[in-house]
């Protein structure tokens, strides 16, 4: 969804803007960013920024809009001129969690993702590392 051209366009249009992107963006976008980080890092970066800071953020649109609403003292832009609604991120809410858990409890799991053993092993390592962070 995000391109190097979007980065260059915003830099040309908004003097002093900083590019803040999620590491899942394309590498040419990540390479041009000022700050790269997880969702929590993106939130923290904006929360800790001084009034008047200017950001172009490359991540899910709802998060960018929430940050824009919570920090009117800053100038916050969505990195892409094309609106990208991340359908799967948008469904991470209590209603969908409840639905998944109820189906799991009933023995009819939904949205099951299967991967090869090697991928599963490394995914578990990543999850354990994330859970270990304090």
């Amino acid at each position: 969804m995000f391109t190097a051209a979007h980065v260059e366009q915003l830099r040309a249009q908004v003097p002093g803007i900083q590019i803040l992107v999620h590491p899942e963006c394309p590498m040419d976008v990540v390479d041009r960013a000022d700050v790269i980080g997880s969702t929590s890092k993106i939130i923290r970066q904006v929360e800790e920024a001084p009034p008047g800071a200017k950001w172009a953020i490359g991540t899910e649109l709802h998060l960018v809009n929430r940050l824009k609403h919570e920090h009117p003292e800053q100038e916050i832009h969505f990195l892409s001129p094309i609106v990208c609604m991340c359908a799967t991120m948008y469904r991470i809410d209590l209603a969908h969690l409840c639905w998944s858990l109820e189906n799991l409890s009933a023995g009819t799991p939904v949205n099951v993702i299967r991967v090869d053993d090697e991928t599963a092993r490394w995914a578990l390592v990543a999850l354990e590392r994330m859970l270990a962070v304090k």
Side-chain angles (χ1 to χ4, degrees):
M1 174 51 55
F2 306 110
T3 68
H6 297 146
V7 174
E8 302 311 322
Q9 181 181 26
L10 274 159
R11 287 197 194 279
Q13 290 175 347
V14 184
I17 198 160
Q18 295 184 77
I19 309 299
L20 173 58
V21 302
H22 194 279
E24 291 178 358
C25 286
M27 188 52 74
D28 61 342
V29 173
V30 171
D31 288 342
R32 288 168 174 76
D34 299 299
V35 182
I36 302 115
S38 64
T39 300
S40 60
K41 181 171 180 176
I42 290 170
I43 293 167
R44 203 169 42 253
Q45 194 75 32
V46 173
E47 286 175 347
E48 294 172 359
K54 299 176 186 178
W55 300 105
I57 304 176
T59 193
E60 196 273 328
L61 179 63
H62 285 93
L63 175 60
V64 177
N65 284 339
R66 188 181 94 207
L67 290 170
K68 200 185 258 193
H69 176 75
E70 291 174 355
H71 299 280
E73 76 285 1
Q74 297 181 44
E75 185 177 331
I76 298 174
H77 301 267
F78 187 56
L79 181 58
S80 173
I82 302 163
V83 175
C84 169
M85 303 295 276
C86 182
T88 52
M89 285 289 283
Y90 187 61
R91 286 181 286 188
I92 299 174
D93 58 21
L94 290 177
H96 283 93
L97 175 62
C98 182
W99 172 72
S100 296
L101 292 174
E102 286 172 344
N103 276 280
L104 187 61
S105 177
T108 55
V110 293
N111 299 329
V112 176
I113 298 171
R114 289 180 180 24
V115 295
D116 61 85
D117 291 342
E118 182 72 2
T119 301
R121 183 172 76 80
W122 285 110
L124 182 59
V125 168
L127 284 170
E128 289 171 342
R129 287 178 180 168
M130 283 186 275
L131 292 171
V133 174
K134 294 187 184 194

